[in-house]
């Protein structure tokens, strides 16, 4: 196999896994799997739940922080943003 093809496949499949981890985390949040008032599990626990390595899980968490879905509390733990889960005025 050509080295360039190998590297492209590795990169491409890495992107797919990162997107899958983000989507899985968002699914659990959207389905109210976790209580809003409690911190999310630690990343290593989330990795086990999602069956992804911790780097992939951390990437998903970072994307959700950037999107405003979750935030880091004063205690350093991650929480679901209340504004993300609140119904819109149109509902």
């Amino acid at each position: 196999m050509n080295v360039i093809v190998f590297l492209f496949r590795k990169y491409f499949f890495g992107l797919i896994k990162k997107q899958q981890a983000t989507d899985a985390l968002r699914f659990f949040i959207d389905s109210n799997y976790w209580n809003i008032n409690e911190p999310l599990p630690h990343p290593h626990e989330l990795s086990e739940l999602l069956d992804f390595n911790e780097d992939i899980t951390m990437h998903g968490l970072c994307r959700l922080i950037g999107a405003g879905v979750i935030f880091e509390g004063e205690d350093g733990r991650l929480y679901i943003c209340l504004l993300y889960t609140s119904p819109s005025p149109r509902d």
Side-chain angles (χ1 to χ4, degrees), residues 32-74:
N32 298 315
Y33 187 79
W34 297 295
N35 186 346
I36 291 177
N37 300 322
E38 297 176 7
L40 293 175
H42 287 281
H44 67 274
E45 294 171 310
L46 290 172
S47 296
E48 291 175 10
L49 174 69
L50 301 174
D51 198 26
F52 288 108
N53 71 38
E54 202 163 331
D55 289 339
I56 297 289
T57 303
M58 287 299 295
H59 181 84
L61 290 170
C62 288
R63 289 183 72 180
L64 293 179
I65 290 170
V69 176
I70 58 177
F71 68 96
E72 186 176 357
E74 292 179 10

